[in-house]
Amino acid sequence: MPQHDAGHLARALDLAIEHSRDGRHGPFGAVVARGESVAGEGWNQVVAACDPSAHAEIVALRDAARNLDTHLLSGCTIYCSCEPCPMCLAAIYWARIDRLVFACGADDAAAAGFDDRRILREIRRDWSEREITWHQTGRKAGLRVFERWRHNPDRVPY
Amino acid sequence: MPQHDAGHLARALDLAIEHSRDGRHGPFGAVVARGESVAGEGWNQVVAACDPSAHAEIVALRDAARNLDTHLLSGCTIYCSCEPCPMCLAAIYWARIDRLVFACGADDAAAAGFDDRRILREIRRDWSEREITWHQTGRKAGLRVFERWRHNPDRVPY
């Protein structure tokens, strides 16, 4: 483990403690860093900001991407006070983060009242087995959207 | 299918077409609605906003949550121009969305250059099998964060 890992992870834990004191920010913190240099920081803001996506990791990824002026964070490590939930883990992949360091596990989060195990179970299922009500319709119209995209000379793939 | 489904899904497709014309917004749109009433709208802003989390669904969930002044969107349906990626699907569960309607499938998105199949594969694996480099450390310090939370009389669980 690189020497700076301990410092960045400690900072992620500090962010969690500091911001959750008011009870309206969940007890989670995250730091995105490139080597020793911090690129972005985040803490849970779901309740405080009325934003179901505002987990610490998503907030840190958004902060880092804004600071580095790119949506691609390759070369970066994310430090999380707790194992990322499936939403955050997928966001970490989309952001092309190279490496992930975390302190607590998903079971520890569940014991503290933040249980993502049902979500993981659902995502691991196929549509035919999922509990959520869903319906696929209008695929032909949807395909025309992608068709236009493929013929758009200005398109920026990612 | 409720009558208003067709209209909301058509709007999600329109948002995708309208905003992706400039080539800097990916060809995805989403609408969150409670019955006939639209609560929030979104379109992909990953490249344009330098935000790896800014998929259409996440943007629509954030918009709806802000408009309804709550992080809980139970009673709502989300309409997506394409099957949500694992990040967006998990966000849909966190937001307590009841129902999901989508047009294209993940394979259609992959054919258009937006391939989330590696992410789904990774999320379905256990840590021991995942390709991303990861490290769990400092759990004891992490547990103290949750311990403080459990003893915080002001905490708002979600």
Side-chain angles (χ1 to χ4, degrees):
Chain A
M1 260 174 70
Q3 268 198 327
H4 48 249
D5 269 7
H8 290 321
L9 185 60
R11 175 66 182 157
L13 293 172
D14 281 349
L15 288 167
I17 289 173
E18 195 181 305
H19 290 280
S20 64
R21 267 202 197 103
D22 68 2
R24 292 175 50 76
H25 295 80
F28 299 91
V31 167
V32 174
R34 191 167 274 163
E36 288 181 23
S37 164
V38 172
E41 295 188 335
W43 50 93
N44 185 292
Q45 302 175 25
V46 169
V47 173
C50 287
D51 179 353
S53 77
H55 288 197
E57 298 90 330
I58 299 272
V59 175
L61 291 170
R62 302 181 79 209
D63 187 40
R66 201 167 37 230
N67 291 336
L68 298 176
D69 201 28
T70 170
H71 59 286
L72 299 172
L73 299 173
S74 46
C76 290
T77 297
I78 188 164
Y79 301 83
C80 314
S81 63
C82 187
E83 178 182 340
C85 82
M87 172 180 75
C88 294
L89 187 57
I92 286 165
Y93 283 105
W94 279 121
R96 273 68 158 185
I97 289 276
D98 281 347
R99 194 168 158 266
L100 177 57
V101 177
F102 58 91
C104 289
D107 289 344
D108 301 322
F114 300 91
D115 197 347
D116 62 13
R117 289 171 298 189
R118 177 177 167 256
I119 297 177
L120 188 57
R121 210 162 49 234
E122 279 282 279
I123 289 181
R124 286 179 163 174
R125 288 174 173 155
D126 293 321
W127 283 105
S128 62
E129 299 171 318
R130 285 185 182 142
E131 286 167 10
I132 196 168
T133 306
W134 64 275
H135 195 76
Q136 184 173 12
T137 182
R139 178 171 172 253
K140 217 159 139 185
L143 285 176
R144 281 198 291 272
V145 179
F146 287 140
E147 201 51 37
R148 280 173 189 243
W149 177 256
R150 265 191 297 262
H151 290 98
N152 184 341
D154 300 324
R155 78 180 182 283
V156 184
Y158 68 87
Chain B
M1 259 174 70
Q3 267 198 325
H4 48 249
D5 269 8
H8 290 321
L9 186 60
R11 175 66 181 155
L13 294 172
D14 280 349
L15 287 168
I17 290 173
E18 195 180 306
H19 289 278
S20 64
R21 265 201 198 105
D22 66 3
R24 290 175 52 76
H25 295 81
F28 300 91
V31 168
V32 173
R34 192 167 270 162
E36 288 183 23
S37 163
V38 171
E41 296 187 335
W43 50 93
N44 185 293
Q45 302 175 25
V46 170
V47 172
C50 287
D51 179 352
S53 77
H55 288 197
E57 297 90 329
I58 298 271
V59 175
L61 292 170
R62 301 181 79 208
D63 187 40
R66 204 168 32 233
N67 291 336
L68 299 176
D69 202 28
T70 170
H71 58 287
L72 299 172
L73 300 172
S74 46
C76 291
T77 297
I78 189 164
Y79 300 84
C80 315
S81 63
C82 185
E83 177 183 339
C85 83
M87 172 179 75
C88 294
L89 187 57
I92 286 166
Y93 284 105
W94 279 120
R96 273 68 158 185
I97 290 276
D98 281 347
R99 192 167 158 267
L100 176 58
V101 178
F102 58 90
C104 289
D107 289 344
D108 300 323
F114 300 91
D115 195 349
D116 62 13
R117 289 172 297 189
R118 176 176 168 256
I119 297 178
L120 187 59
R121 209 163 49 232
E122 279 281 278
I123 289 180
R124 286 179 163 175
R125 289 175 172 154
D126 293 321
W127 283 106
S128 61
E129 299 170 318
R130 285 183 182 144
E131 286 167 11
I132 196 169
T133 307
W134 65 276
H135 195 77
Q136 183 172 13
T137 183
R139 178 172 173 252
K140 218 159 138 186
L143 285 175
R144 281 198 291 274
V145 179
F146 287 140
E147 201 50 36
R148 280 173 188 244
W149 177 256
R150 266 191 299 260
H151 290 97
N152 184 342
D154 301 323
R155 74 180 184 285
V156 184
Y158 69 88

